[in-house]
Amino acid sequence: NAWQAGRVAGKVNLANFIGSPNLRDVTIELRPPGSTTVLESFTMRLAQDNGFSFVTARRGLTDIRFRVPGFCSRVISNVNITSTSPGNLVTLLPNGDPDQSGEVDAVDIDLVISNFGAATTSAVLGDLDGSGEVDAVDIDITIANFGQTGTP
């Protein structure tokens, strides 16, 4: 039924993250296939099970990009949006990009080190694992993912 809103749902898994997923917002962008032009954007808290759900008037093949602060973005291509699907999208976002530049690099390591010991749950301040403190684990996450890049 073309008059019904399209439903999109699934899970965004956050690599090396031990905190509550609802500490993180996900921004989901709908794009024409093969394009970086954003047609529609949704920002929401992840559910406790890493789930998300939203409705859109869009129909047909769409690329869907997922962005979460501290993580590299990912795109799922050619998703067919209908009034009842997709309901089972799953993506895994690599951790370690607190400066949100799109690449885990030396700047990210420096950022985590400069905030070492801070009591925070903010990924952009370096708490990459969601433990509530910027610690050695956050440095290890950044080093282990050095060179990872997000999908533009």
Side-chain angles (χ1 to χ4, degrees), residues 90-126:
V90 177
T91 190
L92 173 66
L93 303 184
N95 204 338
D97 186 23
D99 75 343
Q100 302 178 74
S101 66
E103 179 180 7
V104 181
D105 56 18
V107 175
D108 298 303
I109 294 170
D110 291 344
L111 191 152
V112 174
I113 290 170
S114 71
N115 289 301
F116 190 83
T120 182
T121 58
S122 172
V124 297
L125 293 178

Side-chain angles (χ1 to χ4, degrees), residues 4-135:
Q4 291 180 319
R7 179 180 175 278
V8 180
K11 292 187 179 194
V12 177
N13 294 315
L14 306 174
N16 308 111
F17 191 77
I18 61 168
S20 175
N22 59 19
L23 290 173
R24 298 294 186 252
D25 287 337
V26 59
T27 299
I28 302 169
E29 300 170 346
L30 304 183
R31 306 168 166 187
S35 173
T36 59
T37 301
V38 177
L39 301 171
E40 201 169 359
S41 180
F42 303 86
T43 299
M44 65 198 76
R45 286 280 156 136
L46 287 172
Q48 192 61 36
D49 67 349
N50 292 3
F52 69 89
S53 178
F54 63 91
V55 294
T56 177
R58 295 206 52 78
R59 291 288 186 282
L61 293 180
T62 305
D63 286 357
I64 302 178
R65 181 178 185 227
F66 300 88
R67 292 186 298 121
V68 174
F71 294 83
C72 295
S73 61
R74 289 293 180 256
V75 172
I76 299 177
S77 300
N78 295 314
V79 175
N80 190 26
I81 298 176
T82 70
S83 60
T84 59
S85 68
N88 59 350
L89 290 177
V90 177
T91 190
L92 173 66
L93 303 184
N95 204 338
D97 186 23
D99 75 343
Q100 302 178 74
S101 66
E103 179 180 7
V104 181
D105 56 18
V107 175
D108 298 303
I109 294 170
D110 291 344
L111 191 152
V112 174
I113 290 170
S114 71
N115 289 301
F116 190 83
T120 182
T121 58
S122 172
V124 297
L125 293 178
D127 181 28
L128 300 173
D129 67 349
S131 67
E133 180 183 14
V134 181
D135 57 19

